Amino acid sequence: SEFTQSIEVLDLQAPSLEAPASDLTVECESLSDQSTLENWLNTQGGALASDNCSDVTWTHDFTALESSCAGGTATVTFTASDDCGNSVSTTATIEFTDSTEPELLITAADETVECDGQGNNADIDTWLASNGGAEASDAFSGITWSTDFDAFSDECGLTASASVTFTAMDASGHSLRTTASF
């Protein structure tokens, strides 16, 4: 007698996740050359997987950071697939932080004006709006200025003065100060 038998071997088992992807926090300076981000993506955030029937191919769903560098984050799903379409996934987050303070380019300058008999409101408003001439920059975000000006100290007649501290703050909350008198 003769018999025919068909045997079909199927791989129905997903790859085995040996180590999940790890979160990563890095300084914004690392984003400038993209190497830290690319290395983390190319190494699957440190995830490891194997399969009993074939090699494993990795993919990820990263497209872009969810905001500017300072505070920029991305949650990435890394997927390990075998040749038969079985897969296992792991998720991790990359976050960029900014620990660099803004840089003071020009300090605030004292300002003296002739008393106009009206309180010199336009002069002080212009001086405050220009941050006393101070300038600052930040490599990773914009600068927000504030002052501690409350009121003038009274002197003789309508003469008055104020010592004002100008504070420049970046998006990460780092600040610097410069003081001048009006």
Side-chain angles (χ1 to χ4, degrees):
S1 312
E2 194 176 299
F3 298 95
T4 302
Q5 180 180 13
S6 294
I7 299 175
E8 185 176 3
V9 178
L10 299 175
D11 178 4
L12 301 175
Q13 187 174 1
S16 174
L17 185 62
E18 296 168 9
S22 297
D23 293 342
L24 180 65
T25 301
V26 293
E27 279 292 314
C28 284
E29 289 96 28
S30 297
L31 185 61
S32 62
D33 64 10
Q34 293 285 315
S35 64
T36 301
L37 175 61
E38 289 174 10
N39 184 53
W40 184 75
L41 292 170
N42 291 336
T43 59
Q44 299 74 242
L48 298 173
S50 63
D51 190 71
N52 61 351
C53 292
S54 67
D55 290 332
V56 173
T57 303
W58 285 95
T59 58
H60 61 76
D61 64 355
F62 176 79
T63 55
L65 293 175
E66 294 171 2
S67 63
S68 66
C69 181
T73 62
T75 300
V76 180
T77 300
F78 297 97
T79 303
S81 301
D82 65 17
D83 291 344
C84 295
N86 302 307
S87 64
V88 62
S89 296
T90 179
T91 301
T93 301
I94 187 167
E95 177 180 9
F96 285 88
T97 61
D98 173 15
S99 62
T100 304
E101 293 183 1
E103 179 182 0
L104 185 62
L105 304 173
I106 299 173
T107 60
D110 294 342
E111 179 81 15
T112 303
V113 296
E114 183 67 31
C115 176
D116 68 3
Q118 311 273 327
N120 291 85
N121 292 327
D123 293 327
I124 186 69
D125 290 345
T126 300
W127 187 71
L128 291 171
S130 71
N131 305 310
E135 291 183 20
S137 70
D138 188 75
F140 309 110
S141 68
I143 298 290
T144 303
W145 286 92
S146 63
T147 72
D148 66 351
F149 176 75
D150 185 32
F152 287 112
S153 61
D154 290 330
E155 296 177 15
C156 63
L158 292 177
T159 303
S161 67
S163 178
V164 178
T165 299
F166 297 90
T167 303
M169 185 175 294
D170 68 13
S172 297
H174 304 293
S175 64
L176 58 83
R177 292 173 177 77
T178 180
T179 302
S181 296
F182 184 90

